[in-house]
Amino acid sequence: MAAFNFTNSDASTFILTGIPGLEAAHIWISIPFFTFYILSLLGNFTLLSVVGKEQTLQKPMYLLLCILALTDIATPTFVVPKALGIFWFNLKGITVAGCLSQMFFLHTVSVMHSATLMTMAFDRYVAICNPLRYATILSNAQIAKLGLVGLIRAVLFILPLPLLLSQQPFCANRIILHTQCEYIAVVKMVCGDITVIKIYSLVLMFVINGFDLTLIALSYSLIIRAVLRISSKKGHQKALNTCTTHISVMLTYYIPGLFSILTHHFGQGIAPYVHIILADLYLLIPPMLNPIIYGVKTKELRDKVGKYTCRR
């Protein structure tokens, strides 16, 4: 992973404990971790391969799916290999640079994922509310530009966090009770003044989530209004079917994340290993489910995957 510059902490290391309280079960816990990771890679690489090979699928909607698939490949890849190293080989050490790099890439991909979901909501809005102008408003080139803007936005928003943390002194106890360098766990080890870091992270959370979710809600409110104006029942069904897949993917992303945050802040009586498992599953389950959801609910993609599989 890329390293950040440090003042006096280059040789320092943190210790990732894995899942405290369940050390004896690490081998067994590694089985679903490994399985979910492999299924995620298989599903998302299959989606990328099929869209890349099939000319008829190279449309804005499927290009957005490809961007989503790339984020779904990256998310567990930044976590699972290290977690499996802890579970299988007891490799618990990680440099400060490696830790902050992991945190940076995880949050960057998460912001990029959110931006992609927001763009997909806008895509559905244009497809239903302005179908005659769809090809003009959202061409493949426009999707590529929006994807690049989403990536730049994610990097610019997240980069200050590890840079600010890298300038702080860390306490003597450098044990992280987690399988990954979770932001809150790393911040707790800082011995200096973290007021600026706390304020920035709080503003960041409200700005990114607030902006993206507001635009998603606005898009779907306009979609619902447009659907209600359709007189035929068949038209209603067709319009709603184009949105259900995207809504399912959004639910698998936002609901587990919200649940994990709520349990972390308000579940003081819950065992620490429950928080850790929930945080890990949040990074494992959505990337595994997304290609399955799109494969099942999108007939054109499902047919092409079946054709490609049979050909192989």
Side-chain angles (χ1 to χ4, degrees), residues 203-225:
V203 170
L204 199 63
M205 182 179 70
F206 280 107
V207 168
I208 294 175
N209 290 334
F211 181 77
D212 291 358
L213 287 173
T214 298
L215 287 184
I216 289 172
L218 179 62
S219 295
Y220 274 97
S221 63
L222 293 173
I223 288 171
I224 291 171
R225 189 178 70 173

Side-chain angles (χ1 to χ4, degrees), residues 69-82:
L70 289 173
T71 64
D72 284 339
I73 290 169
T75 298
T77 299
F78 291 132
V79 174
V80 174
K82 180 59 183 176

